[in-house]
Amino acid sequence: MSAQGTPDAAGRTAGESKQTPKGAWTVTFLLFLFMVVNFADKIVVGLAGVPIMTEMKLDAEQFGFLGSSFFFLFSISAIVVGFIVNKVPTRWVLLTLAVIWALAQFPMVGTVSFTTLLICRIVLGAGEGPAFSVAAHAIYKWFPDEKRTLPTAILSQGSAFGVILAVPALNWVIVNHSWHYAFGALGIVGLMWVCAWLTFGKEGPLEDTQVLAATEPKIPYLHLLTSRTFIGCAIATFGAYWALSLGLTWFTPFIVKGLGFSQSQAGFVSVLPWVFGAIVVILTGWISQVMNARGYTTRISRGVLGSVPLIVGGLILATMPHVTGAGLQIALLVVGSGLCGAIYVVCPPMLGEFTPASQRGAVISIYSALYTLSGIIAPSVMGTVIQRAGTMLDGYMTGFTINAVVMVGSGVIGLLLLWPNTEKARLTRGAAAQAAPLKGVVSPT
C-alpha cells in the first residue's frame, strides 16, 4: 500500500490528514474571541491604574505587587490544566476557564478593598494561566502541522485585539463612570462568550487524544522538556512576556504619570503598541507559512523568524533613555515592544512539531507556565525601580532599559537553540531506538 493510503493512529490516511475540516475556521474565530476576552481582562488593571492607585492610596511598589499577583497561580494552573487536556476534551476545559474569568470580575463592581482586588486578580490569573496553551492545543486538532502557523497567529491576535477593542470602551467607562464598572462589563462579556461557545464550540476531528495515547509512540517528558528547542522557546518567550506584562500593568500609568497625558488621551495612546503588535503577528504567521510552503526548514521559517525581531525590539527599547520628546519615546516603545509578538506565533507550532499529540497539551502548557513567570517578576521590578528612582520618569527609563536587556538576551538564546526540524528527527530516533528491543522480545510459551 502506498504512503498515501497508510492509515494513521486516528484511522485517517496521510492524504486525508492534510485536509482542513469544515468548521475549523469557525472554531478558530471563537478561540480568537476567547483570547480577546482574556486580554481585555488582563489590561483593565493597568488601564485603570491611576484611578485605582488614587482611590486606594497605593504607591508604585504596591501597584507593582498588584500587577504581579495576577501571575501567582498562573503557571501552576497552566501545568495542571495542561495534563488535564491530555485526557479531557478541550471544549469543556475552555468553557470552565471562561466561567471562572467572568465570575472573578463581578466582586469589583461595588466598594472593594485592596485585599479583595488582590484575591480576585489571583483567581483570575489561575483561570487565565492555561488559556493560550489550551486554545492552541484545541486549534491543532483542526489543522495539520504544515497549516498551523496562520491559525496560531490569528489566535495570538486575540491578545492585540483584546486590548485594541477593550481600551477605548473600558477607558470610556472609567472616565465617565467608574473603574469598578469596567470590571463588571468584562464579566458580562465573558458570560456572552460562554453562551457562544456552548452553542458553536466543538472538538477538533483530526486528533482523538485518547486513541492516540494508546497507539502512538511516547517520548519521555524529560526528553521533551530538556530538548534545546523547548528550552529556547521558554527562554525567548520569557523575554517577550516581560515586555507584555509591563505593557499590561505599567504602560498607561507611564503615559499619564510619566509623560503627563490625561486619562482620556492615554486611552488612545495605550492601544498603539497593540496595533503595531497585531501587524507583526499576522505578518509573522503569513511569512512563516509561505516559507514552509516554499521548502524552508522550520529552523528558518519559525526559529530565526521568531528570534530576530525579539533582539531588534530590545535594541530599539535600549535607546529610549537617550532620546527626548514624549512622541519619540512612545514611538520607540511601541515598535520595540510590538516586535515581541513574532515569538508567540512560532513557538507553539515548533513544540507541536516534535511532541506527540497525546502529550502536546501538557508540553505547551508547561512552556506557557515557564515563560509567564516573567509576569510575576517584571511588574514588581518596575514598581521597585520607580519607587527608588530620583524622578518618576528616570524610574520608568531604568525599567525599560532592564526590559531591553532581557529581550536581547532571551532573543539571542532563542536564536541559538531553536532547531525544531532536527529536534524532531533526534527525538523520533530516540523513541524508535527504545521501542526496537521490545519488538524483538518473544513471549515465553
Side-chain angles (χ1 to χ4, degrees), residues 6-33:
T6 302
D8 65 9
R12 296 174 308 275
T13 67
E16 290 172 338
S17 70
K18 294 183 182 298
Q19 301 301 315
T20 301
K22 183 179 179 181
W25 290 107
T26 299
V27 170
T28 300
F29 177 68
L30 285 171
L31 293 177
F32 162 81
L33 294 179

Side-chain angles (χ1 to χ4, degrees), residues 229 298-299 302-303 350-351 353-354 417-425:
T229 299
T298 50
R299 157 66 180 167
R302 290 175 176 173
M350 279 193 283
L351 298 177
E353 193 174 335
F354 60 82
L417 295 182
L418 297 179
W419 292 79
N421 51 324
T422 58
E423 205 80 81
K424 180 178 181 179

Side-chain angles (χ1 to χ4, degrees), residues 159-395:
S159 62
F161 277 85
V163 176
I164 293 168
L165 298 175
V167 164
L170 294 176
N171 199 57
W172 182 88
V173 174
I174 292 167
V175 171
N176 293 281
H177 298 282
S178 166
W179 64 267
H180 297 275
Y181 292 119
F183 284 88
L186 289 173
I188 293 170
V189 170
L191 292 178
M192 290 171 63
W193 187 88
V194 167
C195 294
W197 184 249
L198 271 173
T199 305
F200 301 106
K202 296 179 181 178
E203 198 74 7
L206 291 188
E207 297 172 354
D208 185 328
T209 51
Q210 291 182 330
V211 172
L212 290 171
T215 57
E216 69 179 356
K218 290 283 184 63
I219 298 175
Y221 279 104
L222 180 63
H223 294 177
L224 292 168
L225 302 180
T226 57
S227 65
R228 64 180 177 181
T229 299
F230 180 89
I231 294 170
C233 278
I235 293 175
T237 319
F238 180 95
Y241 208 81
W242 188 289
L244 186 145
S245 58
L246 287 185
L248 291 170
T249 306
W250 282 108
F251 188 82
T252 303
F254 167 65
I255 297 300
V256 176
K257 289 195 168 185
L259 299 181
F261 288 80
S262 68
Q263 180 71 33
S264 297
Q265 292 170 325
F268 168 75
V269 177
S270 293
V271 304
L272 296 179
W274 304 93
V275 172
F276 181 74
I279 296 170
V280 169
V281 166
I282 284 293
L283 281 176
T284 302
W286 177 74
I287 292 170
S288 176
Q289 202 138 306
V290 169
M291 292 175 74
N292 283 338
R294 294 183 178 180
Y296 285 87
T297 65
T298 50
R299 157 66 180 167
I300 303 298
S301 65
R302 290 175 176 173
V304 174
L305 186 64
S307 300
V308 171
L310 188 57
I311 298 169
V312 174
L315 294 174
I316 290 172
L317 279 186
T319 65
M320 277 186 66
H322 308 290
V323 301
T324 56
L328 183 55
Q329 288 176 336
I330 289 172
L332 293 172
L333 183 57
V334 166
V335 176
S337 59
L339 285 171
C340 293
I343 199 70
Y344 300 110
V345 180
V346 297
C347 275
M350 279 193 283
L351 298 177
E353 193 174 335
F354 60 82
T355 303
S358 62
Q359 297 173 272
R360 187 180 59 220
V363 168
I364 294 179
S365 294
I366 294 169
Y367 150 73
S368 175
L370 291 175
Y371 77 71
T372 54
L373 289 173
S374 61
I376 299 176
I377 304 169
S380 287
V381 168
M382 178 67 92
T384 300
V385 167
I386 293 170
Q387 191 74 16
R388 299 179 182 180
T391 68
M392 185 173 292
L393 186 58
D394 287 343

Side-chain angles (χ1 to χ4, degrees), residues 71 141 156 383:
F71 296 96
K141 294 183 179 184
S156 299

